[in-house]
Amino acid sequence: MRKFFNLKFILIFLIVSFLIIFNVFPMSYLIFRSFFDSNNFSFSFDAFKRIYNYSLNWNALTNTLITAFFSMVFGLIIAFPLAWLIGRTNLYFKKFFRTLFVMTYMVPPYVGAMAWLRLLNPKVGTLNLFLAKIFNLSENPFNIYSLSGLIWVLTTFYYPYAFITISRAMEKMDPSFEEASRISGASPLKTLLNITLPIMLPSIVAAGLLVFISAASCYGIPSIIGAPGHIDTVTTRIIDYVYVGSAEGLTDATTLAVSLMIIANLVLYFSNFVCAKKNYITVSGKSVRPNIIDLGKWRIFFTVLVFIFALIVIVIPFASVIMTSFTKNLGKPLTASNFTWRYWNILFTRKGILETAVNSLISASVAATAGVIISCVMAWLLTRTNNKFKSVPDFLITLGSGTPSIVIALGLIMTMSGKFGINIYNTLFIMIVAYIIKYLLMGMRTITSAMNQIHFSLEEASLISGAGWFQSFKNITLPLIAPSVVAGWFLIFMPSFYELTMSTLLYSTDTKTIGYELFTYQTYHSQQTASAIATGILLLVIIINWILNKLTKGEFSI
C-alpha cells in the first residue's frame, strides 16, 4: 500500500516538475523581467509606461481587444444556432455539416487568411471582382486589409471552438426541461429562447471566452491580413521586437507578452472559476438522448441556409487555396492554359520543404506521444485516486493551455538558452516542449472523459487477482479507452504539426517547421507554392480524419 502511494506521489512529482521547469518558471521569469529592475530588483511599472507611451503599441493592444471581442461575439452568433440545428433538430445532412464545420478547427488559421486574401484583395480579389461585375459596382466592395476584414477571418476560423464546446454541452443536457416546456404548449422557438438558451448560458460564455483568448493570441492571421493594412496586434508587435535582437527589444517584447498573458489569465480565471460556479446545466444521472426537434416545413429552408453558410465560409475559401496551387499566373483565372503542376512538383521535390515537413512530423509525433503518456497518467490520477495533490498538475496543465502561444515561446527563449543551466535553444526539443505545454490539455480531457466511463471494479478485480496496477491498466483499462487515446494523440499531433506562432520564435536554421515554411512562402516567395503546401495540409487533415474514424470504429472523427 505504501509502495502504491509512493508511485502516485512520484508520478505527480515528475509531471509537476516538468510543468514547473518548462511552464511556471519561464512565465514567472517573464513577469519578473517586466515588473522588476534587473539591476536593483526594485518593483517598477517603467517598462509598461515606456511601451504604452508609444502609440503603435497602444494601438496594437486596442486592435487586439477589438478584434478578439467582435470575433467572440460573431463566433457565438454563428456557433449557437449551428450547434442547435445540427445537434437538436432533424436538419438534413447533419453528420456532413458537423464534419465540415469542425474541419476548420483542424486546419491552420493562417490557411484561412491566405484564402480570404485571395478572395477579398481590394484590387484583384476573385470574389471582389465577381461581385463588382454582377452588381455593376464602380469599385470592389470589400477590403480584406482592414479591421473588419481581420475580424471576419478570425471569426470564420475560431467559431468552431465555440461550436464544439456548445455542442458537447447540449449533448449532456437533461432534455426533461425542454420536454416539460413542449408539453405546456410552448413552440420549439419559445422553448429554445426560454429554456435551452438560459440553461446553456454558462457553456456559451465559456465558449465565447475561449474564442476571445484564441483570437487575441493569434499571430498568423494578423500577420498575413493585418500587416499589409498597417493593423498591428500585440502578437505581431512582439515578433517585431524579438527580431530587433537587442536587449531592450527583448525587454519590450517581454512586457507586451506579459500584457497578453495577464489578459489571457483573467479570461481563464473567469471561465474556469466564475463560470464553473454558475454551471447550472442539469445532467441526468441516467443515459439520455436529447430530443430531436422536427423542423417541419422549415427543414428544407434551414438546410439550404446552413449549406449557403458552409459554401461561403468553408467551401469557397478552401477551393480558392486549392485552385491557386494549380495557377500559373495569379492575375488570370484558372483555365486549361493557365493550369500547372509546377508548384506541386516543388512541394514534393524541394529539399527545404521536405526537411521542414520531416521536422514537423518528428516534433509533432514526439509531442503527441509524450502528451498521451502524460494524459493517461493524469487521467488515472484524476479518476482513480484521492491524492490531495493531484489537482496541482491538473491546474498547471490548464494554465499552460490557456497561456498564449507567443508567451510560451518567449518564456522558453528567455530561460532555456543556458542562462539558468538548461540550454535547449535552437533544437527540436524546445519546440516539442512548447507543443506539449500548449496542447496537452486537449489529450488529457479526451482520455479523462473516457476513463470516467470505465467503472473501477474492472481494475479492482484485476488487482485482487494479483496483477499490479500497471498490468491492470495495460490489460483492462487501456483497451477500453483505446479509441480516446488514439483521438487524444491526433488532437495533440495536428496542431503541433502545422503550428506557426511558437515555431516563428523557436526555429533555427536546422529546425524550421512546415508551418513556418508555408508562412514564408506566402509572405515572401510564392503564393502558389504556399497554396500547394496548404492544400497538402488540408489533405492530411482529411486522411487523418479517415484513419481516426477507422481506428476508433466510428467513435471518433473530426
Side-chain angles (χ1 to χ4, degrees):
M1 187 69 181
R2 181 69 179 169
K3 183 178 179 181
F4 187 66
F5 171 79
N6 286 340
L7 178 60
K8 289 188 288 186
F9 182 80
I10 290 171
L11 289 174
I12 293 174
F13 176 77
L14 290 174
I15 295 173
V16 170
S17 297
F18 172 82
L19 295 171
I20 287 176
I21 292 171
F22 295 110
N23 185 21
V24 177
F25 175 61
M27 299 308 103
S28 300
Y29 182 73
L30 288 183
I31 295 172
F32 172 82
R33 180 86 179 249
S34 296
F35 286 104
F36 290 88
D37 190 295
S38 57
N39 296 319
N40 54 24
F41 303 109
S42 60
F43 183 84
S44 172
F45 284 104
D46 289 346
F48 287 90
K49 291 177 181 177
R50 185 182 71 256
I51 281 293
Y52 289 112
N53 273 335
Y54 190 27
S55 61
L56 198 59
N57 292 327
W58 184 252
N59 289 337
L61 179 62
T62 304
N63 290 337
T64 299
L65 295 175
I66 290 173
T67 54
F69 174 78
F70 282 105
S71 298
M72 174 186 70
V73 172
F74 295 139
L76 289 177
I77 291 173
I78 292 170
F80 181 78
L82 285 178
W84 183 77
L85 284 168
I86 292 172
R88 305 302 296 276
T89 74
N90 63 338
L91 190 81
Y92 289 113
F93 313 119
K94 293 197 299 181
K95 187 175 181 180
F96 169 75
F97 283 133
R98 181 186 292 275
T99 300
L100 201 59
F101 294 137
V102 177
M103 185 176 289
T104 51
Y105 173 80
M106 298 295 289
V107 173
Y110 49 84
V111 172
M114 292 167 51
W116 287 107
L117 189 69
R118 176 78 171 138
L119 290 169
L120 297 182
N121 183 292
K123 294 183 178 179
V124 294
T126 308
L127 188 58
N128 258 337
L129 294 173
F130 174 76
L131 292 173
K133 184 177 181 180
I134 290 293
F135 295 102
N136 196 27
L137 302 175
S138 58
E139 58 182 24
N140 290 335
F142 298 108
N143 179 12
I144 196 65
Y145 301 130
S146 62
L147 201 62
S148 58
L150 182 54
I151 291 170
W152 169 251
V153 179
L154 287 169
T155 300
T156 57
F157 264 76
Y158 285 116
Y159 82 86
Y161 287 55
F163 174 79
I164 294 168
T165 304
I166 295 170
S167 294
R168 287 175 178 172
M170 279 188 177
E171 289 169 2
K172 295 179 180 179
M173 191 179 77
D174 189 338
S176 60
F177 294 100
E178 293 174 315
E179 288 174 3
S181 175
R182 296 299 304 276
I183 291 171
S184 300
S187 66
L189 180 60
K190 193 170 183 180
T191 300
L192 173 66
L193 297 177
N194 294 341
I195 303 296
T196 310
L197 187 58
I199 291 177
M200 288 290 301
L201 190 59
S203 291
I204 293 172
V205 173
L209 294 176
L210 179 60
V211 174
F212 180 93
I213 195 172
S214 300
S217 307
C218 181
Y219 168 70
I221 293 175
S223 179
I224 293 174
I225 299 296
H230 305 291
I231 302 170
D232 290 296
T233 62
V234 171
T235 53
T236 59
R237 291 297 297 155
I238 290 173
I239 298 291
D240 290 343
Y241 276 121
V242 171
Y243 282 173
V244 168
S246 64
E248 185 176 342
L250 278 178
T251 300
D252 291 344
T254 300
T255 306
L256 280 174
V258 169
S259 301
L260 192 60
M261 183 169 62
I262 291 171
I263 294 170
N265 280 284
L266 286 174
V267 171
L268 186 66
Y269 170 80
F270 187 82
S271 178
N272 285 358
F273 294 98
V274 178
C275 287
K277 291 179 180 178
K278 296 182 179 181
N279 193 355
Y280 43 84
I281 291 179
T282 301
V283 181
S284 173
K286 59 183 178 179
S287 178
V288 295
R289 179 173 293 180
N291 291 326
I292 299 299
I293 297 168
D294 184 4
L295 293 173
K297 63 181 181 180
W298 294 98
R299 191 180 184 190
I300 294 177
F301 170 79
F302 280 114
T303 301
V304 171
L305 195 64
V306 173
F307 175 78
I308 292 172
F309 173 80
L311 187 68
I312 294 172
V313 172
I314 300 172
V315 177
I316 291 176
F318 285 177
S320 172
V321 172
I322 295 169
M323 290 170 63
T324 301
S325 69
F326 295 105
T327 305
K328 285 182 186 178
N329 187 342
L330 286 179
K332 298 179 180 179
L334 181 61
T335 58
S337 61
N338 199 29
F339 181 91
T340 181
W341 288 98
R342 176 189 174 192
Y343 303 105
W344 281 88
N345 183 56
I346 290 173
L347 175 63
F348 290 109
T349 58
R350 186 159 292 179
K351 183 180 178 182
I353 295 175
L354 295 176
E355 287 178 349
T356 59
V358 170
N359 286 340
S360 289
L361 187 63
I362 292 172
S363 56
S365 298
V366 173
T369 304
V372 160
I373 293 171
I374 296 174
S375 296
C376 287
V377 172
M378 279 302 306
W380 176 72
L381 289 170
L382 291 171
T383 61
R384 298 293 189 260
T385 73
N386 293 317
N387 192 289
K388 62 182 178 180
F389 297 111
K390 66 182 181 180
S391 61
V392 175
D394 183 44
F395 170 76
L396 294 178
I397 290 170
T398 303
L399 185 67
S401 176
T403 302
S405 300
I406 201 162
V407 178
I408 294 173
L410 190 58
L412 290 173
I413 289 174
M414 301 287 282
T415 56
M416 300 296 149
S417 303
K419 185 176 182 179
F420 298 100
I422 301 177
N423 188 359
I424 56 174
Y425 189 54
N426 288 339
T427 66
L428 273 181
F429 185 68
I430 196 171
M431 290 188 176
I432 293 168
V433 167
Y435 300 158
I436 292 173
I437 291 170
K438 183 63 183 177
Y439 302 119
L440 178 59
L441 186 66
M442 294 182 181
M444 189 184 78
R445 288 287 181 259
T446 301
I447 295 172
T448 301
S449 178
M451 200 173 290
N452 265 324
Q453 299 173 25
I454 308 298
H455 200 277
F456 181 63
S457 60
L458 296 173
E459 290 179 33
E460 202 170 42
S462 177
L463 292 169
I464 292 171
S465 301
W469 78 267
F470 179 75
Q471 189 177 3
S472 298
F473 179 83
K474 179 173 69 73
N475 295 335
I476 304 296
T477 308
L478 190 58
L480 293 173
I481 64 169
S484 295
V485 173
V486 173
W489 192 90
F490 279 118
L491 284 173
I492 298 173
F493 173 84
M494 275 312 303
S496 299
F497 179 79
Y498 60 63
E499 203 281 332
L500 172 64
T501 306
M502 294 185 288
S503 304
T504 299
L505 287 178
L506 297 175
Y507 83 93
S508 67
T509 305
D510 298 323
T511 60
K512 289 181 181 178
T513 62
I514 194 68
Y516 181 76
E517 190 76 356
L518 190 160
F519 177 78
T520 54
Y521 268 101
Q522 169 66 27
T523 307
Y524 304 111
H525 303 308
S526 166
Q527 289 186 29
Q528 293 100 317
T529 305
S531 295
I533 298 172
T535 305
I537 294 176
L538 290 176
L539 291 174
L540 180 65
V541 170
I542 294 171
I543 292 170
I544 284 180
N545 181 53
W546 180 81
I547 294 173
L548 185 58
N549 191 56
K550 290 294 182 183
L551 290 178
T552 62
K553 298 179 180 179
E555 188 171 341
F556 285 95
S557 61
I558 290 177

